[in-house]
Amino acid sequence: MASDFHTRYSRQIRLPQVGEAGQLKLREARVFIVGMGGLGAPAAMYLTAAGVGHLTLADFDRVDESNLQRQIIHAHADIGELKAASAAATLRALNPQVDIATLDYSLDAGDLRDGAAAADLLLDCTDNFPTRFEMNRVALQTRTPLVSGAAIRWEGQVTAFDPRAPASPCYRCMYPDDSVDTATCAMEGVISPLVGVIGAMQAMEGVNILLGNGQLHGVVWLFDARAMEWQRMQLPKNPQCAECGDG
């Protein structure tokens, strides 16, 4: 095995919970990230740096100057560029050992299902409930673990759902109502480092899941950035859930 592999990932390989076998597992893993904005940026950068070998980045939007306050994967020179392409360039410069694919168009349910079926892990880094609900649906259909993050104003949350675990809830257990309102950062605002905190947590749980040590299914972590406080909330599986319930 090439010496640069051991050098690049030496600090992780040194960990007994990772070791060379775990690092090789990360190198073979495939992660599908939907959204290359405030959450997707740090999540993708940490997964790339950690040596996750195959990433697919999905985002149809273009870089706007207002994104640069928090979307650290893009630079001022990238304004007007497709976010997926801009992000891919940053990640390839960060770690050329990682294979990066991009989807720079609006995905339909079939595209999401195909992406989930080809992946070992899904990251929901989007900002709207219709896409989150559809990602939850395809995660259940393909039995692919899903890590979900959200951040707005001064508040963030992160959780995970693992359809392979019988007791794991799904996103619909948390938000059963189709008519839930979507508040966006453009409407409400968001403090810059908050998305980094939540996106990094998504990456951390993603690495845990890929190493077989997922911690968050059935748990939601809520972060208040003004008070600098975390709250841990239990999220039980809903037997009557329209997506994952017994019926």
Side-chain angles (χ1 to χ4, degrees), residues 121-142:
L121 176 70
L122 298 175
L123 257 63
D124 174 9
C125 300
T126 65
D127 62 358
N128 67 89
F129 280 102
T131 304
R132 290 170 181 162
F133 288 148
E134 192 58 44
M135 288 191 69
N136 179 68
R137 188 170 297 116
V138 301
L140 292 168
Q141 290 171 351
T142 60

Side-chain angles (χ1 to χ4, degrees), residues 117-246:
D120 301 299
L121 176 70
L122 298 175
L123 257 63
D124 174 9
C125 300
T126 65
D127 62 358
N128 67 89
F129 280 102
T131 304
R132 290 170 181 162
F133 288 148
E134 192 58 44
M135 288 191 69
N136 179 68
R137 188 170 297 116
V138 301
L140 292 168
Q141 290 171 351
T142 60
R143 295 176 57 81
T144 308
L146 169 66
V147 181
S148 174
I152 195 166
R153 297 180 291 266
W154 297 82
E155 301 90 37
Q157 70 179 42
V158 60
T159 188
F161 310 102
D162 191 345
R164 303 169 302 179
S168 174
C170 77
Y171 194 79
R172 281 288 194 175
C173 295
M174 186 163 57
Y175 293 105
D177 188 354
D178 271 335
S179 62
V180 63
D181 290 331
T182 299
T184 66
C185 293
M187 294 164 52
E188 303 288 337
V190 62
I191 193 70
S192 176
L194 172 65
V195 293
V197 172
I198 301 301
M201 286 282 285
Q202 288 185 265
M204 186 69 262
E205 179 63 0
V207 168
N208 273 332
I209 291 171
L210 294 173
L211 292 175
N213 187 42
Q215 300 292 323
L216 290 186
H217 62 270
V219 174
V220 183
W221 279 103
L222 306 169
F223 182 51
D224 180 338
R226 291 198 71 191
M228 292 297 286
E229 291 181 348
W230 287 94
Q231 288 187 317
R232 186 179 190 272
M233 181 182 78
Q234 289 296 131
L235 178 66
K237 183 182 179 74
N238 178 8
Q240 281 75 50
C241 175
E243 295 288 351
C244 73
D246 296 338

Side-chain angles (χ1 to χ4, degrees), residues 3 6 27 34 47 56 67 70 73 83 106 126 144 161 175 200 208 210-211 226 228:
S3 61
H6 293 92
R27 188 176 72 174
V34 181
L47 291 174
T56 298
N67 301 148
R70 65 200 178 280
I73 206 165
K83 285 185 178 180
S106 181
T126 65
T144 308
F161 310 102
Y175 293 105
N208 273 332
L210 294 173
L211 292 175
R226 291 198 71 191
M228 292 297 286

Side-chain angles (χ1 to χ4, degrees), residues 48-59:
T48 297
V52 172
H54 308 272
L55 299 181
T56 298
L57 317 176
D59 199 311

Side-chain angles (χ1 to χ4, degrees), residues 80-111:
E81 297 294 323
L82 288 162
K83 285 185 178 180
S86 169
T90 299
L91 299 178
R92 289 177 181 130
L94 177 63
N95 189 350
Q97 296 179 0
V98 174
D99 175 50
I100 310 289
T102 61
L103 301 174
D104 58 9
Y105 51 87
S106 181
L107 305 185
D108 60 23
D111 296 321

